[in-house]
Amino acid sequence: MKLAIITDTSAEIADKYKKRDDLYVLEIPISIDGVDYQPSQIANEKWFDLMKSAKDAPKTSQPSVAALEILLHKLQDEGYTHVLGMFLPAGISGFYANAFYLQSEFSDMKVEFPETYITSSPLGYLVQTAFDGLDAGKSFEQILSDFKFQRDNDNAFMLVDDLKWLAKGGRLSNASAFVGTLMNIKPLLQFSEEGEVVVYDKVRTTKKALQAMKNLLMEKTKDGDYKIYVLNAGGDLAHAKEMYDFTLEQGFTDVEYTSFGPVIATHLGVGAIAVALTPKIKA
C-alpha cells in the first residue's frame, strides 16, 4: 500500500509530521482588511496581532477543489494506491460537500474523505495517528477504523470572549445564543456530532465557565487514555494557563499547551480558549 494523506490548513500538525513526503496540505485562504494571506505562511501570533488591529472581521475562503483534483491526478501518476483526506468539517465549511464527488473519480486509487467533525490540533492529531498506523504496517481498513474510533469519541469545548466573530462568519449554528453575550452570559461552545459549532451551555461568569470546562474534561476522560490539547487565540492567557495547570494537576501526562492557527482563530476571535480530548490508539 502506498498511502497519501491530504488535509488543510485548519489542522495543526506537529513539526515532525509536516516534513513527510506523503502529507499534502491544502491552503484555506484568509483575508483581513482587504489583504489576502496563506495560513501556512504566517505565524499564529502575527495573525492574532492583525486581528486585534483589524477594522473589519477577517474572512476565510474554501480550499480549491480544482487544486485538490489536480493533486489527486498527480498522486495517481506517482503510483499511490490509497488516499485519505481529512478536512475541515462540513458543518462549518462547504468544501467537503464540493469535494465529495472526487472520491469516486479515480479507478486506480482508493480515495476516502471521511467526515472529521472537528478541526485545529485535534484534526492534526487524527492525521498524525493515521501516519503512525501506516508506519506500524496497519492496513488501510484498520487505519480508517482507528480514525473513526477517535473521531466518534473526541470532544472539544470552547470559551470565547465575544460571539461576534462566529456570528459574522455564520459558523455558529444556534446563533440566537448571540443574545446571551449582550446579557453578560458566557457561552460554552462545543463541536456537535455533525461538526457544527453550537452552544453547549450558558454560564453567568468566566469563572463558572472555566469550572464547567474542567468538569467536562474529567467526565469525558474517565474511561480510557486521552491526548489533551489546551488551546488559546492570544489575548489574556491567564484562563488558558489555568486550564493547562488543571490538566497537569489531575495527572494527565500527554497534554499540549498551544495556540489556534489563523483559520480557526479567525472564527473564534482573539482571547478564545479551548480544551480538546481525543482517545489514543494503542500500537
Side-chain angles (χ1 to χ4, degrees):
M1 175 178 65
K2 187 176 181 181
L3 170 65
I5 296 179
I6 309 174
T7 188
D8 57 51
T9 46
S10 74
E12 296 296 309
I13 301 171
D15 288 342
K16 73 173 185 178
Y17 293 89
K18 288 180 181 179
K19 300 174 183 178
R20 294 185 64 117
D21 294 334
D22 45 3
L23 171 66
Y24 299 85
V25 182
L26 303 176
E27 289 281 0
I28 297 179
I30 51 177
S31 63
I32 194 165
D33 291 341
V35 181
D36 296 330
Y37 297 88
Q38 292 186 334
S40 65
Q41 302 300 315
I42 185 168
N44 295 355
E45 293 73 17
K46 174 65 175 178
W47 183 252
F48 301 156
D49 289 340
L50 289 172
M51 289 180 66
K52 291 174 187 176
S53 61
K55 296 178 182 178
D56 298 313
K59 300 177 182 179
T60 61
S61 303
Q62 293 182 24
S64 168
V65 175
L68 174 58
E69 185 171 7
I70 290 171
L71 173 58
L72 289 169
H73 281 291
K74 173 178 176 290
L75 295 175
Q76 183 173 249
D77 292 343
E78 292 178 358
Y80 280 92
T81 59
H82 295 74
V83 175
L84 179 57
M86 303 183 190
F87 307 117
L88 197 68
I92 56 176
S93 172
F95 174 74
Y96 182 82
N98 292 334
F100 187 84
Y101 78 95
L102 289 173
Q103 295 176 101
S104 60
E105 295 295 303
F106 295 85
S107 58
D108 294 336
M109 294 190 302
K110 186 172 182 60
V111 181
E112 291 280 352
F113 299 160
E115 253 285 28
T116 60
Y117 304 130
I118 207 159
T119 187
S120 193
S121 292
L123 177 54
Y125 186 57
L126 294 176
V127 171
Q128 294 165 202
T129 301
F131 276 128
D132 290 343
L134 175 64
D135 294 343
K138 291 185 176 181
S139 67
F140 187 64
E141 291 71 23
Q142 185 59 56
I143 291 171
L144 270 178
S145 177
D146 289 345
F147 159 81
K148 291 175 181 177
F149 170 76
Q150 289 184 298
R151 178 199 64 188
D152 294 346
N153 292 279
D154 61 14
N155 270 286
F157 298 96
M158 298 153 281
L159 180 62
V160 298
D161 274 355
D162 195 328
L163 283 176
K164 71 178 182 181
W165 304 90
L166 282 163
K168 285 185 176 181
R171 261 65 181 191
L172 185 63
S173 293
N174 43 355
S176 61
F178 184 55
V179 177
T181 304
L182 306 179
M183 299 169 59
N184 200 32
I185 290 175
K186 290 293 182 182
L188 188 60
L189 308 177
Q190 178 188 29
F191 272 101
S192 72
E193 293 182 357
E194 292 76 33
E196 298 174 328
V197 178
V198 298
V199 174
Y200 179 86
D201 197 6
K202 300 177 187 178
V203 187
R204 278 289 178 186
T205 66
T206 299
K207 181 178 180 180
K208 290 182 178 179
L210 283 169
Q211 186 58 54
M213 289 178 73
K214 294 173 183 177
N215 294 342
L216 285 164
L217 172 64
M218 299 309 297
E219 175 189 341
K220 301 297 184 181
T221 58
K222 60 186 177 183
D223 297 317
D225 187 16
Y226 286 81
K227 171 76 173 185
I228 309 295
Y229 290 97
V230 177
L231 301 112
N232 71 80
D236 184 353
L237 300 182
H239 296 142
K241 186 64 166 55
E242 178 183 337
M243 195 70 214
Y244 175 66
D245 290 343
F246 174 80
T247 62
L248 299 182
E249 291 165 2
Q250 300 308 308
F252 292 100
T253 58
D254 194 354
V255 184
E256 286 194 33
Y257 179 74
T258 187
S259 60
F260 291 104
V263 173
I264 304 306
T266 291
H267 300 300
L268 294 180
V270 175
I273 69 168
V275 60
L277 49 116
T278 305
K280 300 168 76 170
I281 297 295
K282 294 181 181 179

